[in-house]
Amino acid sequence: MKQKIVFATNNAHKLEEVAAMLGDAYEVLSLRAIGCNEDIPETADTFAGNAMLKARYVKEHYGYDCFADDSGLEVDALGGAPGVYSARYSGGGSEENMAKLLQNMAEENERGAQFRTIIALLIGEDSQLFEGIVRGHITRERKGEGGFGYDPIFVPEGYDLTFAELGSEVKNRISHRAKAVEQLVVALKQKN
Ligand code: ITT
């Protein structure tokens, strides 16, 4: 029988990526699937803090074992910004976020950056954190239609194409989220 686990996210792209990574052994339930339609507060100033807030909220209000992902893009030349504020960087959506980032980087030749995710897992009384990082660089213009968020302006190390151009098969193998989900799977297997 498939193991059911709740992923405390409102981001359909994250849900799709993680469900693909976890494969057939797991049924990943969305917040909507458990009747949670609230916007869970993300008031911490670290990925770990926010991931734990989201997971705890679901555990406390809905009683499910669950995991949550807090993630973002950290740009070296911007001192790690937008970081934990990646989703809210411009006050608009992904297009506006990318436009603001490209503008802030217009005069910058040092273009190193990384995506980072922290996954918080709550099972029973236990909590665990898993981290995944993928290094790369910021392009000068947006390229590709796949993925979500900042994918069209991020080229992972060892590739010449953006995550949006590489497509989900490659991204789901090498991304920050893939690295954290690998550890999540090990932990879920141990708990089972
Ligand atoms: P939940 O909090 O409901 O999970 P969210 O989109 O608000 O969804 P975050 O608070 O973790 O998620 O914000 C992460 C933002 O960082 C996300 O909106 C994207 O802009 C960016 N991001 C994270 N992972 C990404 C990825 O794999 N590719 C591109 N952008 C990503």
Side-chain angles (χ1 to χ4, degrees):
M1 211 181 75
K2 284 190 184 189
Q3 187 178 346
K4 286 189 185 177
I5 183 90
V6 175
F7 183 10
T9 183
N10 284 309
N11 184 323
H13 299 283
K14 285 187 184 178
L15 190 78
E16 193 182 325
E17 285 187 4
V18 170
M21 288 169 196
L22 286 177
D24 284 346
Y26 298 92
E27 184 178 346
V28 185
L29 302 179
S30 65
L31 288 178
R32 197 183 306 157
I34 61 165
C36 173
N37 297 307
E38 295 102 83
D39 207 10
I40 301 174
E42 292 181 46
T43 48
D45 57 5
T46 60
F47 293 126
N50 280 328
M52 204 48 97
L53 277 179
K54 289 186 253 189
R56 284 221 175 95
Y57 184 96
V58 168
K59 181 92 183 164
E60 277 167 19
H61 291 79
Y62 294 86
Y64 289 96
D65 290 341
C66 66
F67 66 93
D69 154 313
D70 200 58
S71 48
L73 181 63
E74 300 177 314
V75 179
D76 299 349
L78 302 178
V84 71
Y85 304 107
S86 293
R88 301 165 263 169
Y89 188 45
S90 65
S94 293
E95 289 303 324
E96 290 81 6
N97 287 343
M98 285 189 286
K100 177 171 174 181
L101 189 64
L102 289 178
Q103 186 166 4
N104 286 345
M105 293 286 287
E107 308 296 322
E108 193 52 69
N109 289 323
E110 164 45 49
R111 304 191 69 86
Q114 62 189 26
F115 274 119
R116 185 203 299 266
T117 187
I118 300 278
I119 291 179
L121 172 66
L122 293 185
I123 293 191
E125 298 302 307
D126 287 351
S127 64
Q128 278 176 276
L129 294 172
F130 312 107
E131 180 179 63
I133 291 174
V134 60
R135 292 281 313 165
H137 71 265
I138 303 298
T139 54
R140 297 221 167 248
E141 55 190 35
R142 64 188 306 301
K143 291 181 204 157
E145 303 301 326
F148 70 99
Y150 296 87
D151 282 343
I153 61 169
F154 182 85
V155 173
E157 252 172 20
Y159 293 81
D160 294 321
L161 301 173
T162 66
F163 265 157
E165 293 174 304
L166 285 168
S168 61
E169 196 271 321
V170 176
K171 185 184 174 195
N172 288 349
R173 235 178 330 110
I174 67 167
S175 77
H176 50 313
R177 194 161 292 107
K179 292 174 182 173
V181 168
E182 272 171 32
Q183 302 164 58
L184 172 71
V185 168
V186 172
L188 288 174
K189 282 190 179 144
Q190 282 170 355
K191 300 275 178 200
N192 206 4

